[in-house]
Amino acid sequence: MEIFDKKTAAEVASLLLEVRAIRLQPEKPFTWASGWSSPIYCDNRLSLSFPEVRTFIKKNLVKAIEQNFPSAEAIAGVATAGIPQGALIADQMELPFLYVRSKPKGHGMENMIEGKITPGQKVVVVEDLVSTGGSSLKAVEDLKAAGFEVLGMVSIFTYGFDIAKQNFEAAGVKLICLSDYSSMLPQALANDYIDDETLASLVEWRKEPSLWKGMRVR
């Protein structure tokens, strides 16, 4: 797991905070599907509603692909949030686009992968957010099973959990992210989204997310 560029990481984090794609509320935590209490909710689909933000993200994801996976022959989005990002990138790069479902379509052809399947084609996978990496890596396995050569993956944001790093390393998949949790915290503090006390709570969550129960309200 790598961060594309430190300057870009800070800029992307600042933009995501600005359009409220990233929301921070440690005093009233969100509950994830895993049951974890979380002070952060990241919905990068909101960035699509802001042309300047959308374009900035697209251009930098394209740069990340060109620099790290120059032999890419196709782009694959991970359903659902990776689909629009992947389509934008494929259009910019003039490459074929396809996407991977979380489960097979329940009728018709019952496809797992939508788009032209070309065995041996070199593909880069696009995600909007990586947490543990489970669903992302499942998409990689589905593409490989269909005969694609997966060069790696790019994502807008990651929480940077150790389990995600371990999962990607174990799968032998290179992951390049535009921004991450560690890059976001200084931007949140500098732009007055949080104060020093809140920052301390956010840092604690990142250390032990499964044990963190929220920030006490005085």
Side-chain angles (χ1 to χ4, degrees), residues 158-169:
T158 178
Y159 297 115
F161 294 137
D162 289 338
I163 185 63
K165 295 177 184 178
Q166 293 165 11
N167 286 339
F168 274 88
E169 287 175 2

Side-chain angles (χ1 to χ4, degrees), residues 110-164:
E110 298 186 350
N111 294 334
M112 190 70 183
I113 297 172
E114 300 290 358
K116 188 174 187 299
I117 294 177
T118 307
Q121 192 172 51
K122 297 176 181 179
V123 64
V124 174
V125 183
V126 177
E127 265 285 24
D128 76 316
L129 173 68
V130 172
S131 52
T132 64
S135 59
S136 305
L137 290 171
K138 180 181 180 300
V140 169
E141 290 305 311
D142 290 334
L143 286 164
K144 287 182 177 179
F148 289 95
E149 179 182 344
V150 179
L151 299 179
M153 183 181 300
V154 294
S155 178
I156 299 173
F157 193 83
T158 178
Y159 297 115
F161 294 137
D162 289 338
I163 185 63

Side-chain angles (χ1 to χ4, degrees), residues 8 17 24 60 64 67 77 93 121 123 127-128 131 154 161 170-171 176 191 213 215:
T8 301
L17 286 163
L24 302 170
N60 280 284
Q67 291 182 24
M93 299 183 73
Q121 192 172 51
V123 64
E127 265 285 24
D128 76 316
S131 52
V154 294
F161 294 137
I176 307 295
N191 291 287
K213 297 302 180 185
M215 179 178 172

